[in-house]
Structure formats: structure tokens, C-alpha cells
Amino acid sequence: MEKTIEDPPTSAILLDHCHFSQVIFNSVEKFYIPGGDVTCHYTFTQHFIPRRKDWIGIFRCSLNETIQLFITPDTGSIWHQVGWKTTREYYTFMWVTLPIDLNNKSAKQQEVQFKAYYLPKDDEYYQFCYVDQDGVVRGASIPFQFRPENEEDILVVTTQGEVEEIEQHNKELCKENQELKDSCVSLQKQNSDMQAELQKKQEELETLQSINKKLELKVKEQKDYWETELLQLKEQNQKMSSENEKMGIRVDQLQAQLSTQEKEMEKLVQGDQDKTEQLEQLKKENDHLFLSLTEQRKDQKKLEQTVEQMKHNETTAMKKQQELMDENFDLSKRLSENKMMYNALQREKERLEGENDLLKRENSRLLSYMGLDFDSLLYQVPASDEGGAGQNPGLVYGNPYSGIQESSSPSPLSIKKCPICKSDDICDHTWEQQQMQALCLNCPVCDKIFPATEKQIFEDHVFCHSL
């Protein structure tokens, strides 16, 4: 149940008790303590072969029904608890682990563990049942409970009539077991007889082939002899043509003998053909048996390869699932870190925007208070060398406030390029200029632009022009 959520194969057919002795449950306690894992030990009998879809389920029993007990000479006591009718009535189940080598003695002893959170929580009676992939029960354990240790055990008593009925059923099972063993011995004997018969047929085939070769050689020799004798007779006939009348009777006898020999030769040839056809038939039967055996071996090999491929696919799927889960965890972690970083940058952006708005409002307030343009207040280029420098020799660029009081036309040096359209003409970009001036500082000599936050660097740059 931990390995897969797939439902186990079940059957709606009523129980058949004759299969309950093929799997034996060992070391089953009368009760198990709730809240703990339960390990189920079981053993495969000699004639049982487990399959991939076999499973072990926990079924609820009813003590109001009669408990049936089967006793076999080779396996001991086998229990069947009445209270459930079909294998669809399981409480929980676990898949069976297939042993690698069934011929190994340790492979017969198996176990499976039920986790505590899948086990029943009440104090009803339950039992283990081994169910194959056809939904047929192959073994059942004694009843047990899930309760603490301080509770008293319940004694189940059966009547003498029930014991006699159980013994009678046990005898029937023993008889059936003996019949199956006899049938198995008979099949093995029949198989050995067929092998011996096949060997005998092959020997007969070899004998017939040898006889056929001898007959062919004999026919060839006799045919050559007859041809030689016929030639001699023809030569003698030619020589004795003058004595034809005297030797007529002899010729007739020889012709009759020749006819008889030809008939015998025809019979021999027909017999040889019949034996050849029989030989071909035996060859076909032998080839058919060989092909059937080869196909069975191929099918068995394909089944083994399919099982190995399914195991490999299952392992690969589990590894891939684990890798995807790890990758998903890393992506989730990175996404969480990116979200935290984004929130921190967003808060920093909002803080800088607030500070920028405060600086803009402060700058606007100061400009409004002074009633002057930002560039004309700080750095005004002198109109001429004679005018500005003559008024105050101590100032390199003249009085920055002289442009406010004088209304003379500006010199070519005082005309700056418009920061908006980059032209030498006087443009009417009052609002745009105010926005640009609030955010940057322009060098009056080389028109280099500095951010408003780098005021000290701007002043040092302007001072460097005077050196």
C-alpha cells in the first residue's frame, strides 16, 4: 500500500477452502499493540509459485461464525476464519515481494511489514490472507486483535462434531493431495515415454534411411545388370536370327522372365517411394516438434526479459521522480528568494522616490523664495572680458548676479545650447528647463551635464576651467 495506490486484484467469487494451505503464515500473535508496525511472516509451500500481482490483505473476522481448522501432514495447522465472503472485503493490503530464486530454501521464507497508520484502530478480530493475482485466496492466518497487553485472551472452543468434520475434511484433502501427486508422477512417466518414443522414431528413421540407401544401390546394380543382359540377348538374337524358329520358345521364356523382373522392379520402386514418403512425414513431425520447443523457449526468454525491463523501468521512474522533486524544491527556494529580493528592491525604490520628491519640493520652494532661475543664480558667464572683469577683478567669471541688473545683449559666450532641443537659439521651454535644471547641472564653459546630487564635483569641474 505504500508502494502504489493501485487497487489489488480481487474476485467476487465465494471462497474455496482447498487453496488455503498453499501459503503458511508463521509467528502470528494473538494480539498486536496499537500504534506500532506489524510484520507478517509467511512461507511458500513446495507446489506454489508466487506472481507479480500477489498481495497480502488484512480481513475482519467474526467470532459469531464458526472457525474452521484444516490440518495437513506437511504444513501443520491452516486457519480459515468465517466472517467475510470475497476478497473485495479487505481492510488494507501490501504487495508481495517476489524472491529472486524460488529454488533457494531461504526464498520460501518471506515477510511483509504493515505500517501503523494503515492498521485498524478498533479491537475487532482480523486475520492475514494471501491472495494471488487472480483474486484467489492461497493462505489464511489465525485470528488476532489490535489491543494493549493487559487485556485477556479469548479462548475459542470447538465441539467434537466440528473436530470430526475437520478431520474428515482433512482426510479428503490428503486424498486429493495424493491424487495430485499420482497425477504428477503419471505425467512425468508419460513425458519420459514420449521422449523414449521420440528417440525410437529417430532410430527407426536412421534405419530407414540406411535401408533406403542400400535399396537404391541394389536397384541401380540390378538395373545395370538387366541392361547388360538385355544387350547380350539382343546380340544373341541377332546372332541367332537364323535359328529364330528353334529358339522361339527360349525367347518367349526370356521375355516372360524379363516381364516378371520388371514387375518386381516396379514393386521395389513403389515400396521405395512409400518409404521415402514415410520418411518425409517423420521429418515434418520432427521439425514441428523442434519448432514448438524453440517457440516455447523463446516465449520463456521474452517473459524473463519483460520482467527485467519492467523492474528497470520502475527503478528509472523512481529515480526520475526523485530528481524532479529535488529540482522542484530548488526552484521553489529560488522563487522565494527572488520574491524577497524583489520586495526589498521595491521598498528601496519607494524610499528613493520619496526622498526625490522631498528634494524636488525643497528645490522648488527655494527657487520660489528667491524668484530666480537656478542656472542664473549660481553660474552666469560674463558678457565680455572688459565689463565683468573690470568691475570686480577678484572674480574669475565676474559677478553672477550682474545679469539681473543689466539688460545688455548677451555675448556669444553667454549663449548656451538649449538642453531640450540642443539649438543655439533662445527656445521657449520654460517648464522643461525648470525640470532639467532641477535634476542636473550644466557646465557654462563646455556644456557638460552633472546630476544635481554631484554638486561638489560640478564646482570642481568649473574651477578647473579657470586654471
Side-chain angles (χ1 to χ4, degrees):
M1 196 165 185
E2 292 178 332
K3 298 178 182 178
T4 177
I5 59 175
E6 181 184 359
D7 293 332
T10 58
S11 175
I13 303 174
L14 296 180
L15 300 178
D16 186 4
H17 301 162
C18 63
H19 300 295
F20 277 33
S21 61
Q22 295 184 355
V23 178
I24 310 303
F25 288 93
N26 307 317
S27 303
V28 180
E29 303 292 340
K30 293 182 179 180
F31 63 89
Y32 294 94
I33 299 175
D37 298 341
V38 174
T39 302
C40 173
H41 301 274
Y42 58 95
T43 304
F44 296 127
T45 57
Q46 182 179 1
H47 302 290
F48 179 73
I49 300 176
R51 291 180 289 178
R52 186 174 62 87
K53 286 291 186 177
D54 292 358
W55 54 281
I56 294 178
I58 296 179
F59 291 77
R60 177 176 293 177
C61 303
S62 175
L63 288 181
N64 296 327
E65 304 278 349
T66 302
I67 299 176
Q68 296 183 3
L69 174 65
F70 301 98
I71 302 175
T72 58
D74 53 348
T75 59
S77 299
I78 308 302
W79 287 80
H80 167 226
Q81 174 63 49
V82 177
W84 49 275
K85 301 300 182 183
T86 65
T87 54
R88 295 180 178 179
E89 302 177 23
Y90 66 91
Y91 183 87
T92 184
F93 78 98
M94 288 293 295
W95 294 112
V96 171
T97 303
L98 294 179
I100 299 176
D101 186 9
L102 289 175
N103 296 324
N104 190 0
K105 184 176 181 181
S106 60
K108 301 294 183 180
Q109 304 291 334
Q110 299 292 323
E111 65 179 33
V112 66
Q113 188 177 46
F114 289 87
K115 295 298 182 180
Y117 47 82
Y118 288 124
L119 298 175
K121 307 301 181 183
D122 53 20
D123 58 351
E124 296 291 335
Y125 279 87
Y126 294 89
Q127 66 178 158
F128 298 116
C129 288
Y130 188 102
V131 184
D132 62 10
Q133 67 178 14
D134 297 326
V136 179
V137 179
R138 299 295 180 176
S141 70
I142 61 173
F144 56 85
Q145 287 180 290
F146 294 94
R147 61 179 176 82
E149 295 182 358
N150 56 0
E151 295 187 10
E152 297 181 356
D153 296 336
I154 297 177
L155 179 63
V156 179
V157 180
T158 58
T159 62
Q160 182 65 27
E162 293 172 352
V163 172
E164 293 177 356
E165 183 180 353
I166 290 169
E167 291 179 353
Q168 180 65 26
H169 191 73
N170 182 29
K171 292 180 180 179
E172 294 176 357
L173 289 176
C174 292
K175 183 178 179 181
E176 182 181 355
N177 188 17
Q178 186 63 35
E179 291 176 355
L180 290 174
K181 289 181 179 179
D182 295 339
S183 177
C184 182
V185 172
S186 176
L187 290 175
Q188 291 177 352
K189 184 178 179 181
Q190 184 177 0
N191 186 20
S192 61
D193 293 340
M194 291 180 67
Q195 292 289 338
E197 185 177 357
L198 179 61
Q199 184 67 25
K200 185 178 179 181
K201 292 289 185 180
Q202 289 178 352
E203 293 176 356
E204 291 179 356
L205 178 62
E206 294 175 356
T207 304
L208 289 174
Q209 289 177 350
S210 176
I211 293 173
N212 186 26
K213 289 180 180 180
K214 292 180 180 179
L215 289 175
E216 288 178 353
L217 183 60
K218 185 177 181 180
V219 169
K220 185 177 180 181
E221 291 175 355
Q222 192 171 6
K223 186 176 180 181
D224 294 338
Y225 172 74
W226 288 340
E227 289 177 354
T228 304
E229 189 175 358
L230 182 61
L231 290 175
Q232 291 177 359
L233 290 174
K234 287 182 178 179
E235 290 175 359
Q236 188 178 2
N237 188 22
Q238 290 176 359
K239 292 179 180 180
M240 299 297 293
S241 58
S242 60
E243 300 178 359
N244 188 18
E245 296 178 354
K246 295 180 180 179
M247 299 298 293
I249 300 172
R250 178 62 180 170
V251 171
D252 293 335
Q253 292 177 353
L254 291 174
Q255 288 180 352
Q257 184 180 0
L258 180 62
S259 177
T260 305
Q261 290 180 352
E262 288 178 352
K263 290 180 180 179
E264 290 179 356
M265 185 178 69
E266 290 176 358
K267 290 181 180 179
L268 290 174
V269 171
Q270 184 65 30
D272 182 62
Q273 291 179 355
D274 294 337
K275 289 179 181 179
T276 303
E277 291 177 358
Q278 186 177 4
L279 179 62
E280 292 294 332
Q281 184 67 25
L282 291 175
K283 286 183 178 179
K284 290 181 180 179
E285 292 180 357
N286 189 18
D287 293 338
H288 181 70
L289 292 174
F290 181 75
L291 289 175
S292 177
L293 181 60
T294 304
E295 290 177 356
Q296 289 179 359
R297 290 178 179 175
K298 289 182 179 179
D299 293 339
Q300 183 178 3
K301 188 174 181 181
K302 288 181 180 179
L303 289 175
E304 293 177 354
Q305 292 177 353
T306 303
V307 171
E308 293 296 329
Q309 184 65 26
M310 292 178 68
K311 290 182 180 178
H312 178 70
N313 292 340
E314 183 179 1
T315 305
T316 305
M318 292 178 67
K319 289 182 180 179
K320 187 174 182 181
Q321 182 181 7
Q322 185 64 32
E323 291 175 358
L324 292 175
M325 290 176 66
D326 295 340
E327 184 178 356
N328 188 17
F329 178 75
D330 294 338
L331 291 174
S332 301
K333 186 177 180 181
R334 290 175 59 188
L335 179 61
S336 178
E337 292 175 355
N338 290 335
K339 285 184 179 179
M340 294 174 63
M341 187 180 296
Y342 172 78
N343 294 332
L345 292 175
Q346 188 70 20
R347 290 194 296 269
E348 182 67 17
K349 178 183 176 183
E350 293 176 356
R351 185 183 66 78
L352 292 176
E353 288 178 352
E355 292 180 359
N356 191 17
D357 292 338
L358 290 174
L359 291 174
K360 286 182 179 180
R361 287 196 295 270
E362 183 67 19
N363 190 17
S364 299
R365 187 182 65 80
L366 292 174
L367 291 174
S368 176
Y369 177 75
M370 295 175 66
L372 298 174
D373 185 59
F374 183 74
D375 292 335
S376 63
L377 286 175
L378 296 179
Y379 304 101
Q380 182 68 33
V381 179
S384 64
D385 295 338
E386 296 177 357
Q391 293 175 1
N392 192 353
L395 297 175
V396 178
Y397 293 96
N399 187 5
Y401 299 101
S402 62
I404 302 172
Q405 298 174 358
E406 298 177 359
S407 60
S408 60
S409 60
S411 65
L413 294 174
S414 64
I415 299 175
K416 298 184 292 182
K417 292 183 180 181
C418 179
I420 305 302
C421 58
K422 301 298 181 179
S423 64
D424 295 334
D425 298 333
I426 299 174
C427 301
D428 187 10
H429 298 295
T430 305
W431 183 81
E432 290 84 350
Q433 289 179 357
Q434 290 179 358
Q435 294 293 328
M436 293 291 291
Q437 290 172 359
L439 298 176
C440 60
L441 301 173
N442 296 330
C443 177
V445 179
C446 62
D447 291 335
K448 188 174 182 180
I449 300 174
F450 294 86
T453 57
E454 299 178 357
K455 184 177 180 182
Q456 184 62 40
I457 299 175
F458 170 75
E459 292 177 355
D460 295 340
H461 174 77
V462 174
F463 179 74
C464 288
H465 284 293
S466 64
L467 297 178

